[in-house]
């Protein structure tokens, strides 16, 4: 098989999906049109350019269409997550010509990977259409552009199973909700869209936000993206009610969406009580929140426990679930608490959620496997099956989890050293990598909640771009492309 026959079928699909994706630009165009803001012409020019380019590329590669194989799925996933940020950056570049491609690409990569890190300042003064575009990208990235695509790829004559397995978060990817992949994707998105609508209405009518703020913050909460329309993030509103609403929806977004679907379709809240991941996530967050609130009072950061509890609850839930909102500058807290929050961002979110990191199910598997190994030392002849949610976990999955955790840890170490090599200090380097690979948003030091990633050099920003992509694709889906075996015939 020639190089063209191997690559061009994937390029053809990339072109067609990119063209369909660009149609989302119609939403900010409508907002700019009715609001008469400065984003109108940049969005119109972007839409026309992207449609023409994608159509031309699709036509040129049309003769190379063929059925996708497993390897094609990985190439297409990585291709989409690399190309779509570039496509999405065009309106930002046209609106602000002084913005470099590096910064624009970082902004859209952060949006689509739901990291929530930003290089932009003056968010309060941005046209509503530009702010809506940033948050729309956030929301679309939430359940995965690929999972959205597999619901419509059959219309393009492309099967979606390879994509779903390559991109869906979590180690147990064959537990499908329905026999057909298209129905599975549609069911997940119905739950996702329904919860987003509920969040918008509560933020508007209970929290008192404007429609723009309610839509944008609901998008960011449900995708755990953490973008805001204000430089001060959620701290701009200084509202316990808004913070409480966002806490609830961040926790819902960090829960497996398959659990939501089963609970809602069967009208059984007991489904949540049977989910080991969900219970472990809530317990970990509860204990951490209560303990950190008491610690900050003891350290005289806050004078009373309720004030401390309010700020810790919101910011800890935000970082632990990999959202990235901030209501205060938690970088000024005693270092124990923000570092604990960043550690929680590694393990807290459930599989099948919009969160990042190792995921709670892998944490449970690793913990129970450690206990099993210690039990085997005491009772070598005993058989100790490893179970999660009452289901025996095959050794194949346990080994995959161990391999994932190793590569995840080594990626953090390697990327931290790369940032150190560029001259960035250790605290900023380490926390930037943790925040980016977990898609959590703000780190500490120069990339803390009171600052943003715009202070980094271009090479440092591209390292963070790679970390965001690596985390969003759960390490294996990206690193497999760098192996010799993958490219062998």
């Amino acid at each position: 098989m020639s190089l063209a026959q191997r690559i061009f079928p994937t390029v053809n699909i990339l072109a067609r999906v990119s063209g369909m994706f660009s149609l989302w630009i119609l939403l900010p165009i409508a907002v700019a049109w009715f609001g008469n803001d400065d984003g109108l012409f940049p969005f119109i020019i972007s839409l026309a350019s992207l449609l023409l380019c994608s159509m031309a590329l699709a036509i040129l590669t049309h003769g190379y269409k063929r059925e996708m194989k497993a390897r094609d799925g990985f190439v297409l996933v990585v291709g989409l997550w690399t190309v779509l940020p570039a496509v999405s950056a065009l309106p930002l570049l046209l609106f602000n010509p002084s913005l470099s491609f590096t910064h624009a690409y970082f902004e859209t990569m952060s949006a689509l990977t739901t990291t929530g890190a930003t290089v932009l300042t003056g968010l309060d003064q941005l046209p509503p259409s530009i702010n809506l575009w940033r948050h729309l990208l956030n929301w679309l990235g939430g359940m995965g552009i690929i999972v959205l695509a597999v619901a419509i790829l059959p219309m393009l004559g492309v099967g979606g199973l390879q994509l779903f397995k390559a991109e869906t978060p979590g180690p147990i990817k064959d537990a499908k909700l329905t026999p057909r992949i298209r129905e599975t994707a549609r069911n997940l998105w119905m739950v996702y869209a329904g919860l987003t609508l509920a969040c918008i209405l509560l933020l508007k009518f209970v929290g008192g936000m404007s429609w723009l703020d309610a839509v944008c913050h609901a998008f960011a909460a449900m995708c755990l993206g953490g973008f805001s329309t204000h430089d001060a993030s959620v701290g701009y509103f200084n509202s316990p009610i808004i913070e409480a609403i966002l806490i609830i929806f961040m926790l819902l977004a960090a829960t497996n969406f398959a659990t939501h679907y089963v609970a809602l379709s069967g009208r059984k809240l007991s489904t949540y009580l049977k989910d080991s991941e969900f219970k472990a996530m809530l317990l970990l967050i509860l204990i951490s929140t209560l303990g950190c609130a008491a610690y900050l009072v003891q350290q005289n950061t806050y004078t009373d426990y309720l004030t401390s509890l309010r700020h810790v609850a919101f910011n800890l839930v935000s970082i632990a679930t990999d959202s990235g909102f901030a209501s205060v500058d938690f970088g000024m807290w005693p270092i124990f608490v923000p570092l604990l929050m960043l550690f929680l961002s590694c393990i807290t979110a459930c599989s099948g959620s919009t969160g990042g990191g190792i995921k709670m199910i892998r944490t449970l598997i690793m913990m129970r496997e450690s206990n099993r190994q210690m039990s085997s030392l005491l009772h070598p002849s005993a058989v100790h099956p490893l179970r999660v949610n009452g289901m025996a976990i095959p050794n194949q999955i346990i080994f995959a989890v161990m391999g994932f955790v190793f590569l995840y840890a080594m990626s953090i170490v390697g990327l931290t050293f790369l940032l150190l090599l560029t001259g960035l200090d250790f605290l900023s380097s380490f926390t930037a990598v943790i925040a980016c690979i977990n898609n959590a948003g703000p780190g500490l030091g120069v990339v803390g909640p009171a600052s943003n990633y715009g202070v980094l050099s271009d090479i440092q920003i591209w390292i963070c771009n790679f970390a965001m992509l690596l985390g969003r694709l759960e390490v294996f889906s990206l690193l497999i492309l760098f192996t010799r075996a993958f490219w062998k015939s």
Side-chain angles (χ1 to χ4, degrees):
M1 184 183 294
S2 68
L3 183 62
Q5 290 173 321
R6 294 180 64 179
I7 299 298
F8 282 3
T10 304
V11 173
N12 180 266
I13 298 170
L14 274 173
R16 289 187 288 161
V17 173
S18 296
M20 296 183 71
F21 174 80
S22 65
L23 294 176
W24 286 103
I25 294 177
L26 290 170
L27 288 179
I29 285 177
V31 170
W33 177 273
F34 289 108
N36 194 28
D37 72 35
D38 295 336
L40 180 60
F41 288 108
F43 279 115
I44 291 177
I45 295 170
S46 298
L47 178 59
S49 304
L50 294 173
L51 284 177
L52 285 173
C53 291
S54 58
M55 286 174 61
L57 196 56
I59 291 171
L60 288 173
T61 56
H62 180 75
Y64 292 92
K65 289 172 61 177
R66 60 171 169 79
E67 186 176 347
M68 282 179 61
K69 298 179 181 179
R71 295 187 186 191
D72 297 320
F74 289 105
V75 174
L76 184 53
V77 163
V78 176
L80 282 172
W81 281 97
T82 344
V83 169
L84 290 183
V87 168
S88 307
L90 186 56
L92 299 182
L93 291 169
L94 293 175
F95 170 73
N96 183 5
S98 64
L99 190 67
S100 69
F101 176 75
T102 295
H103 280 196
Y105 189 88
F106 179 91
E107 190 74 14
T108 51
M109 174 65 82
S110 174
L112 285 168
T113 58
T114 72
T115 303
T118 184
V119 294
L120 302 179
T121 56
L123 300 178
D124 305 71
Q125 286 76 47
L126 284 179
S129 60
I130 296 292
N131 259 325
L132 177 64
W133 180 237
R134 294 170 63 243
H135 289 81
L136 181 61
L137 293 174
N138 229 189
W139 188 75
L140 291 173
M143 281 294 288
I145 287 291
I146 313 304
V147 178
L148 174 65
V150 297
I152 59 174
L153 278 177
M155 297 163 50
L156 305 176
V158 180
L161 185 59
Q162 293 89 347
L163 290 176
F164 189 79
K165 286 187 176 182
E167 199 279 334
T168 306
I172 306 175
K173 303 187 182 186
D174 288 325
K176 296 185 285 247
L177 300 178
T178 63
R180 298 179 61 189
I181 190 66
R182 186 179 180 185
E183 292 177 29
T184 298
R186 185 180 61 198
N187 290 336
L188 292 176
W189 271 90
M190 284 174 60
V191 174
Y192 187 54
L195 289 175
T196 303
L197 178 61
C199 187
I200 292 172
L201 296 176
L202 285 172
L203 289 174
K204 170 62 180 173
F205 295 109
V206 179
M209 283 186 173
S210 68
W211 277 113
L212 177 68
D213 282 341
V215 169
C216 288
H217 286 84
F219 279 2
M222 281 312 302
C223 72
L224 296 176
F227 268 176
S228 178
T229 51
H230 304 283
D231 287 327
S233 190
V234 177
Y236 170 86
F237 302 101
N238 192 25
S239 168
I241 294 176
I242 287 175
E243 291 166 18
I245 293 171
L246 290 174
I247 285 174
I248 292 170
F249 282 92
M250 285 189 289
L251 290 174
L252 289 174
T255 304
N256 193 319
F257 274 76
T259 302
H260 289 318
Y261 177 77
V262 172
L264 292 171
S265 60
R267 295 190 176 92
K268 292 182 179 179
L269 293 178
S270 60
T271 303
Y272 294 103
L273 300 178
K274 297 175 182 178
D275 188 340
S276 300
E277 267 194 294
F278 178 74
K279 291 186 292 184
M281 177 187 73
L282 287 188
L283 183 62
L284 180 60
I285 287 179
L286 178 63
I287 293 173
S288 301
T289 299
L290 296 176
C292 288
Y295 176 76
L296 290 185
V297 172
Q298 190 269 331
Q299 293 291 310
N300 296 318
T301 304
Y302 296 104
T303 55
D304 65 281
Y305 186 75
L306 286 181
T307 301
S308 180
L309 184 63
R310 170 195 165 185
H311 293 306
V312 169
F314 181 80
N315 291 280
L316 186 143
V317 168
S318 174
I319 300 302
T321 59
D322 303 309
S323 178
F325 287 129
S327 62
V328 294
D329 182 9
F330 56 77
M332 299 301 294
W333 290 351
I335 193 67
F336 168 79
V337 177
L339 279 180
L340 176 63
M341 289 160 54
L342 284 169
F343 168 72
L344 293 177
S345 75
C346 301
I347 63 174
T348 301
C350 298
S351 63
S353 73
T354 56
I358 293 173
K359 302 289 193 306
M360 181 56 75
I361 192 168
R362 291 193 182 98
T363 306
L364 293 175
I365 289 173
M366 292 292 286
M367 286 175 58
R368 293 177 186 182
E369 175 62 14
S370 299
N371 288 333
R372 186 168 73 159
Q373 292 300 323
M374 287 188 283
S375 297
S376 296
L377 292 175
L378 297 174
H379 309 286
S381 301
V383 177
H384 304 281
L386 193 157
R387 296 182 180 276
V388 176
N389 285 335
M391 181 176 64
I393 306 298
N395 285 335
Q396 180 183 1
I397 289 180
I398 297 172
F399 296 150
V401 168
M402 293 170 67
F404 172 87
V405 173
F406 173 77
L407 286 177
Y408 171 86
M410 289 300 100
S411 297
I412 291 174
V413 172
L415 292 171
T416 299
F417 274 108
L418 278 179
L419 285 179
L420 290 172
L421 194 63
T422 66
L424 194 62
D425 67 278
F426 174 75
L427 181 65
S428 301
S429 298
F430 177 64
T431 58
V433 170
I434 291 286
C436 287
I437 202 169
N438 292 337
N439 307 124
L444 298 173
V446 300
V447 293
S451 180
N452 69 29
Y453 286 72
V455 301
L456 301 182
S457 67
D458 283 1
I459 184 63
Q460 291 165 350
I461 285 179
W462 282 108
I463 291 171
C464 290
N465 274 331
F466 183 79
M468 288 189 284
L469 183 63
L470 189 65
R472 190 63 184 89
L473 297 184
E474 299 221 327
V475 183
F476 281 130
S477 297
L478 178 58
L479 293 187
I480 194 173
L481 266 62
F482 295 92
T483 63
R484 184 181 299 177
F486 181 85
W487 296 104
K488 285 184 178 180
S489 299

